[in-house]
Amino acid sequence: MIRTLSTPPAMACGCLSRAPQPVLPAGGGLLLRPWERADAAAFLSVYQDEETRRWHTHRPSTVAQVEEWFDGYRLDWERERGCHFAVVREDGDVFGRVALRRLNFDDGVANAAYWVLPAARGAGVATRALAALSAWALDDIGFWRLELDHSTRNAASCRVATKAGYRLEGTKRNAAVHDDGRHDMHLHARVRGDR
């Protein structure tokens, strides 16, 4: 179906894919960079963690599946459907993941997601990574609004969102299914100009 907008798109097609996916500084010795094949074992290991599994139902079970996901991440960049970054120390150790998904160039809106490996929890890794990704997306790429949601039972994710400048806007009732059943989800957002 072809849609005709009555307004111009908020963002031009090509604003991502015209250049290679960048490496972004995230402070505290952290970088955001594209995923590499060598990261597959670290990526898979986080999904063996019970706390991660509690909040993430879409999860790989083999290195081969992770490598397929990485191939999909590269295609997402090329087709401007998503931006998926490894959160790494400058020495290359993987600490986590941060991403933008559901990119809507017509409205200039995207959805943020993140996780960190158990060893990196409580050290501000997720907050720094999310803040860096958000600043790049809003200030450099031209998004107007970034949203994220998490289970209302996930207090740690709520703290990360708030510390990274995402205001709590409300609760989406029965909005997601986790392994233990349906969850209400908090909706947070950060818009251009928020600090």
Side-chain angles (χ1 to χ4, degrees):
M1 176 172 102
I2 297 174
R3 284 187 330 143
T4 303
L5 292 174
S6 63
T7 59
M11 300 169 61
C13 289
C15 63
L16 292 177
S17 63
R18 69 175 166 248
Q21 186 173 343
V23 174
L24 305 171
L30 297 176
L31 298 171
L32 310 182
R33 64 153 169 79
W35 287 97
E36 300 171 355
R37 284 263 197 259
D39 302 328
F43 188 100
L44 181 61
S45 75
V46 79
Y47 291 97
Q48 309 312 308
D49 171 62
E50 195 168 313
E51 186 68 12
T52 302
R53 294 173 71 83
R54 183 176 180 196
W55 309 119
H56 297 271
T57 57
H58 186 180
R59 47 193 183 231
S61 57
T62 66
V63 167
Q65 283 181 331
V66 172
E67 291 173 346
E68 287 176 17
W69 284 24
F70 290 176
D71 291 341
Y73 292 169
R74 279 185 284 285
L75 281 175
D76 280 355
W77 179 266
E78 292 168 10
R79 296 176 181 169
E80 298 188 311
R81 292 188 312 213
C83 314
H84 307 270
F85 291 89
V87 181
V88 300
R89 281 196 320 208
E90 291 171 341
D91 64 9
D93 286 348
V94 175
F95 273 19
R97 170 184 183 259
V98 66
L100 291 178
R101 308 170 301 174
R102 295 182 228 136
L103 309 184
N104 178 338
F105 286 8
D106 290 345
D107 293 328
V109 177
N111 180 272
Y114 48 88
W115 52 248
V116 296
L117 276 81
R121 291 185 186 139
V125 170
T127 300
R128 285 195 301 277
L130 180 60
L133 178 72
S134 303
W136 169 77
L138 294 166
D139 300 338
D140 297 344
I141 300 304
F143 284 97
W144 286 90
R145 176 182 170 89
L146 303 177
E147 299 177 345
L148 68 81
D149 56 12
H150 62 79
S151 170
T152 56
R153 301 175 204 174
N154 189 343
S157 196
C158 199
R159 284 190 301 273
V160 167
T162 302
K163 287 180 182 178
Y166 283 73
R167 296 182 189 172
L168 178 60
E169 293 189 338
T171 301
K172 301 188 306 182
R173 296 175 300 139
N174 279 328
V177 178
H178 289 65
D179 286 351
D180 62 352
R182 297 209 68 87
H183 283 230
D184 292 348
M185 302 292 282
H186 275 163
L187 172 64
H188 292 260
R190 180 170 162 176
V191 300
R192 197 185 294 178
D194 282 353
R195 294 286 172 221

